[in-house]
Amino acid sequence: MTTDDVAGALVTLTAAVAQTGASEAVRIPILIEGSGGEVGEADLVIGVGNDVLSSPASWEGETPDFSAAVQRLTSHHLYPRRERTTEADPADRGAKQDVGQNDIDFDYDGYIDSL
């Protein structure tokens, strides 16, 4: 098990590496199940031909700070970079706009997603 932010970064990076037709080895922090909160590491091969599954799991206890691992995953040279969108002018609401596929915020998080 790992934290939600590590899992999210790992899934995104796995997809980005797979888009290049490559695979890479990465290391992530994990919570060792049944250990009472002991932290360990897992080595994974991600990218083409390697599936990553992220699903919810219950955890009792304090969530560890794995922010350094998230920073390491998201700073990978293949991790998608996104530009922050700006708020639209309220006067433009409802106006028809020419929008390309690369200008769409697919997950509605305020960032334009790179394809």
Side-chain angles (χ1 to χ4, degrees):
M1 280 192 272
T2 193
T3 58
D4 291 344
D5 52 348
V6 171
L10 181 63
V11 168
T12 300
L13 181 57
T14 299
V17 171
Q19 282 185 328
T20 69
S23 58
E24 293 198 23
V26 296
R27 179 172 286 161
I28 63 166
I30 60 170
L31 298 167
I32 300 172
E33 195 170 1
S35 70
E38 184 179 345
V39 173
E41 292 184 320
D43 294 313
L44 303 166
V45 176
I46 62 171
V48 172
N50 299 288
D51 299 326
V52 172
L53 172 66
S54 177
S55 63
S58 62
W59 176 258
E60 297 195 20
E62 192 172 324
T63 302
D65 180 9
F66 287 164
S67 57
V70 173
Q71 176 63 35
R72 188 175 64 244
L73 290 170
T74 59
S75 65
H76 188 281
H77 72 280
L78 292 175
Y79 194 88
R81 305 291 177 234
R82 302 185 292 180
E83 299 174 24
R84 185 84 168 129
T85 60
T86 59
E87 282 295 316
D89 183 344
D92 292 338
R93 285 186 202 260
K96 189 170 181 175
Q97 297 178 356
D98 239 354
V99 178
Q101 188 173 10
N102 291 331
D103 298 328
I104 299 172
D105 179 13
F106 289 105
D107 50 11
Y108 306 106
D109 63 354
Y111 293 90
I112 295 173
D113 298 311
S114 300
L115 297 177

